[in-house]
Amino acid sequence: MGTVSSRLPVFPWDRLEPYKTTAAAYADGIVDLSVGTPVDPVPALVQKALTAAADSPGYPTVWGTAALRDAITCWAGERLGAPGLGHANVLPVVGSKELVAWLPTQLGLGAGDRVAYPRLAYPTYEVGARLAGAEPVVYDDPWGLDPAGLKLLWLNSPSNPTGRVLSADELRRTVAWAREHGVLLFSDECYIELGWEADPVSVLHPDVCGGSYDGIVAVHSLSKRSNLAGYRAAFLLGDAAVLGELLQIRKHGGMMIPAPVQAATVAALGDTEHVGEQRERYARRRTALREALEAAGFRIEHSEASLYLWATRDESCWDTVADLAKRGILVAPGDFYGTAGERFVRVAFTATDERVDEAVRRLAQ
């Protein structure tokens, strides 16, 4: 029973619990800037679409409704500049974390295969490799990797945790390298609508992929742009052959998005007003926290996109976590995302306006 779990690292967030307890004991309560979970309301039109589809007694399909696939391809054409996408280029998934964790297994990877991801990265890329029994490999520049045995290459732009955005030139070079060496490229773009000091580009843009989706797949989610983390609404776009194979596997596994969530996703993708309103909320919180952190002696690196500030005081990340916890502020230690982050913390600006204002007040003390 413990064989598979023994392949995995300690669940990182469990290590933060003592600091959470300390922060929660602070007068006026905790300001939790660690996980980055949405706290603002689900848009009204999305809630309406969900409830209108509540009478859904039959099984949904893994591939989703035609309306869902239409909504995804239309959004990708307008927002990502990705032309010519059809239903064969689309696959809905039950949240992006599920996909990341199980993708190597669903691709049939195992012993002797290698999965590469950025040196500073979302921990689930490594988890996915280990679940499959494949070898996890970190990189600084993907084109510097040894392609021998490399079967899956992850990109992440905008980055979690650093907020770094890869340029179109960097993306184009990586796509060309992956194709040259026969490596399947998955690009995690879940924060693409949250650029602040940069305009993130999708790997599916013709300037990057040359108008062909061969060998590339983009991962997208509505958790951040539409406050739908609780809905588990995400999707893949790209190589039809790869997505067709995954579709067959996921049919057998029953990995389907509930019908009301599919209807809600259609509504969310068809509306841009709520996205703009949410961006304005995040922009205000980001500015307030950045100014407060810098005034308190922190240096912010990258952070040109996403929902986080990548901050350092040039000390152990755990020393920073402990100090901020004493002020009732909880942040994520940078080494959750790799040893290269051991002197940084990740500060989410997904708390309410009131909690962000309270964090600013405490940082000034």
Side-chain angles (χ1 to χ4, degrees), residues 117-140:
Y117 51 89
R119 187 171 300 281
L120 278 168
Y122 185 46
T124 313
Y125 303 134
E126 177 187 357
V127 167
R130 294 191 181 281
L131 282 171
E135 178 188 354
V137 180
V138 299
Y139 66 79
D140 295 306

Short mmCIF file of all heavy atoms in Angstrom, two decimals, residues 117-140:
data_model
loop_
_atom_site.label_atom_id
_atom_site.label_comp_id
_atom_site.label_asym_id
_atom_site.label_seq_id
_atom_site.Cartn_x
_atom_site.Cartn_y
_atom_site.Cartn_z
N TYR A 117 11.47 19.88 -16.16
CA TYR A 117 10.69 21.04 -15.76
C TYR A 117 11.65 22.08 -15.21
O TYR A 117 12.81 21.77 -14.88
CB TYR A 117 9.63 20.65 -14.73
CG TYR A 117 10.18 19.87 -13.56
CD1 TYR A 117 10.68 20.51 -12.43
CD2 TYR A 117 10.23 18.47 -13.60
CE1 TYR A 117 11.21 19.80 -11.37
CE2 TYR A 117 10.76 17.75 -12.55
CZ TYR A 117 11.24 18.41 -11.43
OH TYR A 117 11.78 17.70 -10.39
N PRO A 118 11.22 23.34 -15.07
CA PRO A 118 12.14 24.40 -14.63
C PRO A 118 12.72 24.14 -13.24
O PRO A 118 12.07 23.51 -12.39
CB PRO A 118 11.25 25.65 -14.64
CG PRO A 118 10.16 25.34 -15.60
CD PRO A 118 9.90 23.87 -15.46
N ARG A 119 13.90 24.67 -13.00
CA ARG A 119 14.57 24.48 -11.71
C ARG A 119 13.72 25.03 -10.57
O ARG A 119 13.69 24.48 -9.47
CB ARG A 119 15.95 25.14 -11.73
CG ARG A 119 16.79 24.86 -10.50
CD ARG A 119 18.20 25.36 -10.66
NE ARG A 119 18.88 24.74 -11.79
CZ ARG A 119 19.43 23.51 -11.77
NH1 ARG A 119 19.37 22.79 -10.67
NH2 ARG A 119 20.02 23.04 -12.86
N LEU A 120 13.07 26.16 -10.80
CA LEU A 120 12.09 26.69 -9.86
C LEU A 120 10.71 26.45 -10.45
O LEU A 120 10.40 27.00 -11.52
CB LEU A 120 12.31 28.20 -9.63
CG LEU A 120 13.39 28.58 -8.63
CD1 LEU A 120 13.71 30.07 -8.73
CD2 LEU A 120 12.96 28.22 -7.22
N ALA A 121 9.90 25.62 -9.80
CA ALA A 121 8.67 25.18 -10.47
C ALA A 121 7.62 24.68 -9.47
O ALA A 121 7.92 24.32 -8.33
CB ALA A 121 8.99 24.07 -11.46
N TYR A 122 6.42 24.68 -9.94
CA TYR A 122 5.27 24.03 -9.30
C TYR A 122 5.66 22.60 -8.94
O TYR A 122 6.09 21.83 -9.80
CB TYR A 122 4.15 24.06 -10.32
CG TYR A 122 2.80 23.57 -9.94
CD1 TYR A 122 2.20 23.93 -8.73
CD2 TYR A 122 2.08 22.76 -10.83
CE1 TYR A 122 0.92 23.49 -8.43
CE2 TYR A 122 0.80 22.33 -10.54
CZ TYR A 122 0.23 22.68 -9.33
OH TYR A 122 -1.03 22.25 -9.04
N PRO A 123 5.53 22.19 -7.68
CA PRO A 123 6.03 20.87 -7.27
C PRO A 123 5.37 19.68 -7.96
O PRO A 123 5.94 18.59 -8.00
CB PRO A 123 5.74 20.84 -5.76
CG PRO A 123 5.58 22.26 -5.35
CD PRO A 123 5.03 22.98 -6.55
N THR A 124 4.19 19.87 -8.52
CA THR A 124 3.45 18.74 -9.09
C THR A 124 4.08 18.21 -10.37
O THR A 124 3.83 17.07 -10.77
CB THR A 124 1.98 19.12 -9.32
OG1 THR A 124 1.48 19.76 -8.14
CG2 THR A 124 1.11 17.91 -9.59
N TYR A 125 4.94 19.00 -11.03
CA TYR A 125 5.66 18.45 -12.19
C TYR A 125 6.55 17.28 -11.74
O TYR A 125 6.58 16.23 -12.39
CB TYR A 125 6.55 19.52 -12.84
CG TYR A 125 5.83 20.76 -13.31
CD1 TYR A 125 6.35 22.02 -13.02
CD2 TYR A 125 4.65 20.69 -14.04
CE1 TYR A 125 5.72 23.17 -13.44
CE2 TYR A 125 4.01 21.84 -14.46
CZ TYR A 125 4.54 23.08 -14.16
OH TYR A 125 3.90 24.21 -14.58
N GLU A 126 7.25 17.47 -10.64
CA GLU A 126 8.07 16.39 -10.11
C GLU A 126 7.21 15.22 -9.64
O GLU A 126 7.54 14.05 -9.89
CB GLU A 126 8.92 16.89 -8.94
CG GLU A 126 9.76 15.79 -8.29
CD GLU A 126 10.49 16.23 -7.03
OE1 GLU A 126 10.39 17.42 -6.68
OE2 GLU A 126 11.14 15.37 -6.40
N VAL A 127 6.12 15.53 -8.97
CA VAL A 127 5.22 14.49 -8.47
C VAL A 127 4.73 13.61 -9.61
O VAL A 127 4.69 12.38 -9.52
CB VAL A 127 4.04 15.11 -7.71
CG1 VAL A 127 2.94 14.09 -7.46
CG2 VAL A 127 4.52 15.71 -6.38
N GLY A 128 4.33 14.24 -10.73
CA GLY A 128 3.85 13.48 -11.88
C GLY A 128 4.89 12.51 -12.40
O GLY A 128 4.57 11.36 -12.73
N ALA A 129 6.14 12.96 -12.49
CA ALA A 129 7.21 12.07 -12.94
C ALA A 129 7.38 10.91 -11.99
O ALA A 129 7.49 9.74 -12.40
CB ALA A 129 8.51 12.86 -13.08
N ARG A 130 7.39 11.19 -10.70
CA ARG A 130 7.62 10.14 -9.70
C ARG A 130 6.46 9.15 -9.63
O ARG A 130 6.66 7.96 -9.41
CB ARG A 130 7.89 10.77 -8.34
CG ARG A 130 9.21 11.55 -8.31
CD ARG A 130 9.61 11.95 -6.90
NE ARG A 130 10.85 12.71 -6.89
CZ ARG A 130 12.06 12.17 -7.00
NH1 ARG A 130 12.19 10.85 -7.11
NH2 ARG A 130 13.15 12.94 -6.98
N LEU A 131 5.23 9.64 -9.79
CA LEU A 131 4.09 8.72 -9.80
C LEU A 131 4.20 7.70 -10.93
O LEU A 131 3.80 6.55 -10.78
CB LEU A 131 2.78 9.51 -9.94
CG LEU A 131 2.26 10.21 -8.69
CD1 LEU A 131 1.09 11.12 -9.03
CD2 LEU A 131 1.84 9.18 -7.64
N ALA A 132 4.75 8.14 -12.05
CA ALA A 132 4.90 7.25 -13.21
C ALA A 132 6.15 6.37 -13.12
O ALA A 132 6.32 5.47 -13.95
CB ALA A 132 4.95 8.08 -14.49
N GLY A 133 7.01 6.65 -12.14
CA GLY A 133 8.28 5.92 -12.06
C GLY A 133 9.32 6.43 -13.02
O GLY A 133 10.35 5.78 -13.24
N ALA A 134 9.09 7.62 -13.58
CA ALA A 134 10.06 8.24 -14.49
C ALA A 134 11.05 9.08 -13.69
O ALA A 134 10.85 9.33 -12.50
CB ALA A 134 9.34 9.10 -15.53
N GLU A 135 12.09 9.55 -14.35
CA GLU A 135 13.12 10.35 -13.69
C GLU A 135 12.82 11.83 -13.86
O GLU A 135 12.75 12.34 -14.98
CB GLU A 135 14.49 10.05 -14.28
CG GLU A 135 15.61 10.89 -13.68
CD GLU A 135 16.93 10.74 -14.40
OE1 GLU A 135 17.03 9.88 -15.32
OE2 GLU A 135 17.87 11.50 -14.09
N PRO A 136 12.66 12.58 -12.76
CA PRO A 136 12.48 14.04 -12.86
C PRO A 136 13.81 14.73 -13.09
O PRO A 136 14.82 14.38 -12.48
CB PRO A 136 11.88 14.41 -11.50
CG PRO A 136 12.35 13.35 -10.57
CD PRO A 136 12.54 12.09 -11.38
N VAL A 137 13.82 15.71 -14.00
CA VAL A 137 15.04 16.44 -14.35
C VAL A 137 14.72 17.93 -14.36
O VAL A 137 13.74 18.36 -14.96
CB VAL A 137 15.55 16.03 -15.75
CG1 VAL A 137 16.81 16.80 -16.11
CG2 VAL A 137 15.79 14.53 -15.82
N VAL A 138 15.56 18.74 -13.69
CA VAL A 138 15.35 20.18 -13.70
C VAL A 138 16.28 20.84 -14.71
O VAL A 138 17.34 20.29 -15.05
CB VAL A 138 15.57 20.80 -12.31
CG1 VAL A 138 14.58 20.23 -11.30
CG2 VAL A 138 16.99 20.61 -11.83
N TYR A 139 15.88 22.01 -15.19
CA TYR A 139 16.71 22.73 -16.16
C TYR A 139 16.69 24.22 -15.88
O TYR A 139 15.76 24.75 -15.25
CB TYR A 139 16.24 22.46 -17.59
CG TYR A 139 14.86 22.98 -17.93
CD1 TYR A 139 14.64 24.33 -18.23
CD2 TYR A 139 13.76 22.12 -17.99
CE1 TYR A 139 13.39 24.81 -18.55
CE2 TYR A 139 12.50 22.60 -18.31
CZ TYR A 139 12.32 23.94 -18.59
OH TYR A 139 11.06 24.41 -18.90
N ASP A 140 17.72 24.91 -16.35
CA ASP A 140 17.75 26.36 -16.38
C ASP A 140 17.30 26.86 -17.75
O ASP A 140 16.44 27.73 -17.85
CB ASP A 140 19.16 26.87 -16.06
CG ASP A 140 19.58 26.53 -14.63
OD1 ASP A 140 18.83 26.89 -13.70
OD2 ASP A 140 20.64 25.91 -14.45
#
